[in-house]
Amino acid sequence: MTTTTAQDFIENTLDDYLVSLAEGIQEAQLQLNRIQIAGPGGQSPITYHLPRVDFELKLTFEMTQGSQTSSTGTTKIGTSSSKGPVLVFKPAIAQQSGGQQVQAEALSIIKGSFVAVPANGGQPPPVLRCSLARGAAPGETLVTVTLLNAIGEPQSGVEVQFNIDPERSAALSAPDVPQLKLQADTRVLYGVRVTDSNGQAQNTLRVSPNEPAKAIVALVIDAMGQTETVIAQGGTK
């Protein structure tokens, strides 16, 4: 890997450090989740949670530019043929005869915290519900999506995505229709709908009349991280 600036090196190092630290915190919390102490007087068991983890990172690095490579014991980011500046970890590189070198050393202290926050910003989680009705034309199914939160408040102005899943359709149809391939005119009228003031959005699923009668069409609906799959029967072929 060739690094040309001190900023690139520090950012890459911080990425690895912070991800590793986050994974360690997650593993520690998973271990704590397995520990439960019986509460007094029949109360709920006592559990443990990490609300906050503070960290401090002290980083010493050197940037070296020259035609010579570092001496043994120095870890270099770059190759011996690199012409641009490279960064090395301590211990500092040793001077070697026959080459020009420019060195700059710096010490950085970075402090931060990992803080536990409620899921979904503390808001009640969303609830996605779907209902089906016969459409106006043969082979059409009217799909009504209702998006609420856990306390029943409608979620308006939210995009709802509709996608036919060919692989799921083939898997569900396999007992009666081996290797189903949906027709091009089997589709949803809209790919995306937006919920109204009641938290509802409607769409129409059109199943081609050329689909086998026992074919099953799977429609996947996504909104606010929630997913539902509804199915419709095939055509008349």
Side-chain angles (χ1 to χ4, degrees):
M1 177 180 68
T2 301
T3 303
T4 58
T5 66
Q7 182 179 4
D8 289 340
F9 176 77
I10 296 173
E11 289 179 349
N12 291 339
T13 302
L14 285 179
D15 289 345
D16 295 337
Y17 175 80
L18 293 177
V19 169
S20 177
L21 182 56
E23 290 175 348
I25 295 172
Q26 181 187 34
E27 180 62 29
Q29 184 60 60
L30 289 175
Q31 295 294 332
L32 290 175
N33 290 343
R34 300 187 180 100
I35 301 175
Q36 289 190 351
I37 300 176
Q43 297 181 9
S44 300
I46 299 173
T47 58
Y48 298 93
H49 183 70
L50 292 174
R52 180 187 180 100
V53 175
D54 298 320
F55 68 89
E56 179 177 305
L57 172 63
K58 294 183 180 180
L59 176 65
T60 303
F61 64 91
E62 291 180 354
M63 184 174 68
T64 303
Q65 185 170 7
S67 60
Q68 298 295 328
T69 60
S70 61
S71 63
T72 304
T74 303
T75 304
K76 176 179 288 187
I77 305 301
T79 64
S80 58
S81 61
S82 175
K83 301 302 182 182
V86 295
L87 285 166
V88 295
F89 296 107
K90 296 294 281 183
I93 65 172
Q95 294 283 352
Q96 296 186 13
S97 61
Q100 295 180 352
Q101 289 187 329
V102 178
Q103 290 185 224
E105 182 175 328
L107 172 65
S108 178
I109 300 177
I110 301 172
K111 297 181 180 180
S113 302
F114 285 85
V115 181
V117 296
N120 198 34
Q123 299 297 318
V127 178
L128 178 63
R129 297 172 180 168
C130 303
S131 62
L132 305 178
R134 188 180 300 275
E140 290 189 350
T141 300
L142 181 64
V143 183
T144 301
V145 175
T146 303
L147 190 62
L148 310 171
N149 61 19
I151 60 176
E153 297 174 336
Q155 305 299 292
S156 62
V158 177
E159 288 190 351
V160 182
Q161 297 185 2
F162 298 82
N163 294 283
I164 292 177
D165 189 339
E167 294 182 357
R168 183 74 182 276
S169 301
L172 293 172
S173 304
D176 298 309
V177 187
Q179 299 180 341
L180 172 69
K181 292 185 179 180
L182 296 176
Q183 302 294 317
D185 52 343
T186 293
R187 61 187 183 89
V188 285
L189 193 59
Y190 303 100
V192 178
R193 299 290 279 171
V194 178
T195 57
D196 59 19
S197 59
N198 296 319
Q200 290 189 336
Q202 288 188 330
N203 207 343
T204 299
L205 171 63
R206 292 177 177 172
V207 178
S208 171
N210 294 321
E211 298 289 2
K214 293 186 178 181
I216 294 176
V217 179
L219 177 64
V220 181
I221 303 171
D222 297 283
M224 296 185 69
Q226 305 297 306
T227 301
E228 288 289 337
T229 301
V230 299
I231 59 175
Q233 194 68 30
T236 58
K237 182 177 178 181

